[in-house]
């Protein structure tokens, strides 16, 4: 046989064997990465694929994940475009954090409220092997069962904690969320959040949540990877203080007597609707129509990072007077659940509140100190008979008039009076709400606003209120009697306008009410 004929066949066999040997090496290495290295090609500093390709095939690993840690969820989830895009997005974000010194491959990391576990896998893909997630529904091996408000790990367990997908702003109690993350974070550890926080009000509300333990060390705006949060603000905080009781800290303003409204709130006031400069000839119509012009705070900013949502109706009268007819139907609440405090001293309205859920009745008169008071039942001329008919037909009771301390009750004009308990409203407010709460107040107190508002400033309680709807009482033109002013009040419209103006100049968002 001619030897030149056999030579090409021999070379071909050698090449085939080398190729098969190479394929065998690739398969062995791939099996090692999947079964032993915990889904990371960085282990052993050896990888056949670039990071981008490695992430792209992450969706094919559900079978291996299931083999290692039990059912990992339906395979289609891990092969979906959203899953792969999410892993890529978080991997890029975490790589930037490593570059910035906020995260280390040696870190022990926790992802909270992560139902998919994409962020956990992304951490492992970039070399942070000791990473785990928690969610209400476990998804082994990436996600264990647990909630952010009760993280199932001891104090100081983690070097790095991450909360994506707007988890913090979706929490019903952000302060508890923050306290738990701080508890499980090691001293000098970092926590990162992906939130909306697209205005100064929401950003400062976020910062207020962390004042007790942490400082903001990084802010970065980026594009999201899906439609749920198209624009993301990445905020990183560092634990620099030992955790103290967050509830007592959030009420720290209750110990001081003065406060200053922050600048970012002052800017919001400048965006409010204009005050009515000229005295209305028909205030019962003008002020009511003006409600349509009101620029509500919750329509201008994101209120997600507040711990509780509270509506305080001072001078509530009947439930339908403003709570049921206006606040619960018209005020933009951003899907938040508000607790209502109804402050009403007139006992004729008390019974109907017994059946109202989410409402706490305070059957007292808001005042500047704790003492007994008297209030008058005083109706304008021409209104007495109308009020009596309303009482018979609607059962809404009487209209509460001016209040005075018991020792000064001689100042009334001899009309019907009734004794009631009064309480220090400013002191109650400071002991009931905190700086981390979103507080809306409506005040209709028959002229007592000229006593209560200065008291709120004097005690610093005014800084706890985000928005006020104030009815100012003055000797206005009467509906019943053309050409006559109300004899009930001594103040003028100019004095009311000065009150509104001084509130706004102090940075308080106040609206003219009717």
């Amino acid at each position: 046989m001619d030897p030149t004929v056999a030579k090409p066949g021999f070379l071909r066999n050698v090449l085939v064997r080398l190729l098969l040997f190479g394929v065998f090496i690739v398969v062995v290495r791939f099996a090692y990465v999947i079964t032993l290295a915990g889904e990371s090609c960085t282990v052993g500093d050896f990888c056949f694929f670039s990071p981008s390709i490695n992430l792209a095939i992450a969706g094919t690993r559900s079978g291996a994940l299931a083999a290692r840690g039990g059912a990992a969820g339906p395979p289609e989830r891990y092969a979906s475009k959203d899953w792969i895009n999410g892993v890529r997005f978080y991997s890029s974000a975490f790589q930037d954090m490593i570059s910035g010194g906020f995260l280390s491959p040696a870190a022990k990391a926790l992802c909270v409220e992560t139902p998919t576990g994409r962020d956990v896998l992304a951490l492992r893909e970039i070399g942070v092997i000791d990473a785990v997630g928690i969610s209400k529904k476990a998804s082994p091996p990436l996600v264990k069962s647990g909630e952010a408000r009760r993280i199932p790990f001891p104090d100081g367990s983690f070097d790095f904690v991450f909360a994506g997908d707007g988890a913090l702003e979706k929490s019903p109690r952000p302060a508890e969320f923050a306290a738990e993350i701080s508890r499980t974070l090691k001293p000098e550890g970092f926590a990162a959040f992906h939130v909306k926080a697209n205005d100064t009000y929401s950003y400062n509300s976020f910062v207020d949540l962390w004042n007790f333990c942490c400082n903001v060390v990084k802010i970065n705006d980026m594009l999201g990877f899906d439609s749920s949060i198209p624009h993301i603000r990445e905020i990183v905080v560092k634990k620099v203080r030992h955790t103290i009781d967050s509830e007592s800290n959030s009420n720290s303003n209750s110990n001081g007597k003065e406060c200053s409204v922050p600048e970012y709130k002052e800017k919001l006031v400048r965006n409010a609707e204009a005050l009515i400069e000229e005295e209305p000839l028909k205030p019962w119509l003008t002020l009511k129509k003006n409600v349509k012009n009101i620029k509500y705070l919750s329509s201008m900013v994101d209120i997600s990072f507040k711990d509780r949502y509270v509506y305080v109706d001072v001078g509530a009268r009947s439930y339908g007077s403003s709570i049921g007819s206006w606040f619960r139907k018209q005020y933009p609440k951003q899907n938040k659940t508000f607790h209502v405090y109804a402050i009403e001293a007139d006992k004729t309205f008390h019974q109907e509140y017994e059946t109202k859920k989410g409402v706490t009745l305070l059957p007292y008169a808001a005042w500047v100190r704790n003492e007994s008071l008297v209030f008058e039942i005083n109706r304008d001329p021409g209104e007495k008979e109308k009020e009596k008919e309303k009482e018979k037909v609607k059962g809404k009771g009487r209209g509460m008039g001016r209040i005075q301390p018991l020792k000064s009750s001689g100042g009334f004009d001899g009309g019907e009076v009734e004794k009631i308990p009064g309480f220090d409203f400013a002191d109650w407010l400071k002991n009931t709400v905190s700086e981390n709460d979103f507080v809306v107040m409506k005040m209709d107190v028959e002229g007592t606003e000229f006593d209560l508002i200065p008291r709120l400033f004097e005690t610093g309680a005014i800084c706890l209120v985000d928005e006020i709807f104030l009815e100012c009482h003055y000797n206005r033109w009467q509906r019943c009697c053309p050409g006559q002013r109300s004899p009930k009040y001594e103040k003028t419209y100019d004095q009311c306008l000065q009150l509104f103006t001084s509130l706004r100049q102090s940075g308080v968002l106040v609206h003219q009410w009717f």
Side-chain angles (χ1 to χ4, degrees):
M1 178 180 292
D2 189 349
T4 59
V5 176
K7 189 173 182 179
F10 173 77
L11 291 176
R12 185 166 50 251
N13 290 336
V14 170
L15 289 175
V16 169
R17 291 180 181 182
L18 288 174
L19 179 61
L20 290 174
F21 180 75
V23 171
F24 174 75
I25 294 297
V26 170
V27 171
V28 170
R29 174 58 184 167
F30 185 73
Y32 167 76
V33 169
I34 294 298
T35 59
L36 299 178
E39 299 84 52
S40 176
C41 71
T42 59
V43 175
D45 297 323
F46 181 76
C47 185
F48 283 105
F49 307 106
S50 68
S52 60
I53 297 177
N54 194 49
L55 287 173
I57 66 172
T60 66
R61 298 180 175 177
S62 59
L65 289 173
R68 293 179 61 242
E76 58 269 19
R77 173 196 293 182
Y78 299 97
S80 69
K81 183 178 179 180
D82 288 343
W83 168 268
I84 296 173
N85 287 341
V87 174
R88 286 173 171 169
F89 173 81
Y90 287 125
S91 294
S92 175
F94 293 144
Q95 286 279 18
D96 289 342
M97 291 185 197
I98 289 179
S99 300
F102 308 113
L103 177 61
S104 164
K108 186 174 182 180
L110 172 69
C111 297
V112 297
E113 300 295 349
T114 172
T116 64
R118 293 176 294 190
D119 42 5
V120 182
L121 180 58
L123 283 168
R124 296 184 182 183
E125 287 285 350
I126 65 169
V128 185
I129 305 302
D130 196 355
V132 68
I134 60 169
S135 181
K136 290 182 180 179
K137 184 178 180 180
S139 183
L142 299 176
V143 182
K144 297 182 178 181
S145 177
E147 297 183 49
R149 61 178 182 174
R150 287 189 295 271
I151 297 177
F153 295 100
D155 296 358
S157 296
F158 299 97
D159 304 287
F160 179 82
V161 178
F162 176 72
D165 292 325
L168 178 57
E169 56 200 294
K170 295 174 185 176
S171 172
R173 296 301 298 267
E176 293 181 6
F177 195 116
E180 274 294 274
I181 288 181
S182 175
R183 179 187 66 80
T184 54
L185 198 61
K186 294 179 181 179
E188 305 299 313
F190 295 93
F193 305 88
H194 283 180
V195 297
K196 294 178 183 178
N198 53 4
D199 58 72
T200 55
Y201 182 91
S202 59
Y203 170 73
N204 281 277
S205 298
F206 174 92
V207 173
D208 288 342
L209 285 174
W210 301 95
N211 282 338
F212 71 98
C213 71
C214 307
N215 291 341
V216 174
V217 293
K218 179 188 177 183
I219 304 173
N220 179 39
D221 292 324
M222 61 179 72
L223 294 177
F225 62 91
D226 62 28
S227 59
S228 62
I229 307 183
H231 300 281
I232 292 174
R233 174 161 289 183
E234 182 179 81
I235 305 177
V236 181
V237 301
K238 181 179 181 180
K239 184 175 179 179
V240 295
R241 292 177 289 275
H242 290 295
T243 303
I244 61 175
D245 182 68
S246 59
E247 183 175 350
S248 62
N249 181 74
S250 62
N251 280 300
S252 59
N253 194 51
S254 63
N255 296 322
K257 288 190 176 182
E258 295 182 359
C259 71
S260 58
V261 177
E263 183 179 357
Y264 70 91
K265 286 189 176 182
E266 293 180 0
K267 291 182 179 179
L268 290 170
V269 173
R270 294 194 284 270
N271 294 328
E273 75 283 354
L275 296 172
I276 301 174
E277 297 287 343
E278 295 186 7
E279 179 183 354
L281 296 178
K282 297 181 178 180
W284 56 89
L285 294 178
T286 304
L287 292 172
K288 187 173 183 178
K289 289 180 180 179
N290 188 55
V291 174
K292 298 179 181 178
N293 300 323
I294 287 177
K295 294 183 179 180
Y296 298 101
L297 177 58
S298 56
S299 65
M300 295 189 286
V301 300
D302 181 6
I303 63 175
S304 297
F305 297 109
K306 290 297 184 178
D307 190 37
R308 293 190 306 149
Y309 303 88
V310 178
Y311 174 57
V312 183
D313 196 331
V314 191
R317 300 197 69 202
S318 66
Y319 175 82
S321 178
S322 62
I323 298 173
S325 64
W326 167 70
F327 182 76
R328 287 195 161 168
K329 290 183 178 180
Q330 299 182 36
Y331 187 84
K333 304 177 188 63
Q334 296 186 12
N335 294 321
K336 306 299 182 183
T337 300
F338 281 72
H339 186 83
V340 177
Y341 289 94
I343 301 175
E344 177 54 57
D346 193 342
K347 62 184 179 182
T348 59
F349 298 108
H350 293 172
Q351 186 174 359
E352 65 176 300
Y353 284 100
E354 295 177 359
T355 59
K356 304 302 179 183
K357 295 182 179 179
V359 180
T360 299
L361 172 67
L362 278 71
Y364 318 108
W367 187 232
V368 297
R369 52 187 169 270
N370 299 323
E371 65 177 342
S372 295
L373 303 168
V374 291
F375 77 89
E376 63 175 346
I377 304 170
N378 186 12
R379 303 177 177 88
D380 290 337
E383 293 294 309
K384 294 182 179 180
E385 294 303 322
K386 292 181 181 179
E387 289 293 334
K388 289 180 181 179
E389 290 301 319
K390 287 181 181 179
E391 291 177 21
K392 293 178 181 178
V393 177
K394 298 182 180 180
K396 289 192 175 182
R398 306 159 295 180
M400 180 175 168
R402 297 172 297 169
I403 63 173
Q404 288 188 6
L406 188 60
K407 59 184 178 182
S408 305
S409 58
F412 289 147
D413 58 8
E416 183 182 353
V417 298
E418 194 164 304
K419 183 178 177 181
I420 55 173
F423 71 106
D424 188 333
F425 173 66
D427 186 62
W428 171 84
L429 188 65
K430 294 172 71 173
N431 285 286
T432 303
V433 301
S434 76
E435 293 175 345
N436 288 340
D437 297 331
F438 184 77
V439 181
V440 180
M441 179 189 299
K442 189 227 78 180
M443 183 177 287
D444 177 6
V445 286
E446 303 298 322
T448 310
E449 60 270 13
F450 287 96
D451 299 292
L452 294 181
I453 296 297
R455 173 68 175 165
L456 292 175
F457 274 100
E458 175 191 342
T459 60
I462 193 70
C463 289
L464 299 173
V465 183
D466 291 270
E467 190 170 21
I468 301 178
F469 298 84
L470 174 64
E471 179 174 353
C472 189
H473 297 79
Y474 63 97
N475 56 348
R476 67 184 194 173
W477 299 110
Q478 295 185 66
R479 186 175 185 177
C480 67
C481 312
Q484 296 185 29
R485 290 185 179 274
S486 170
K488 292 170 61 175
Y489 311 108
E490 298 177 354
K491 303 295 183 181
T492 65
Y493 185 78
D494 285 341
Q495 288 175 300
C496 282
L497 192 59
Q498 289 174 11
L499 181 61
F500 283 109
T501 302
S502 64
L503 281 165
R504 288 196 173 184
Q505 288 176 344
S506 300
V508 179
L509 183 58
V510 62
H511 308 284
Q512 288 173 294
W513 200 240
F514 63 94

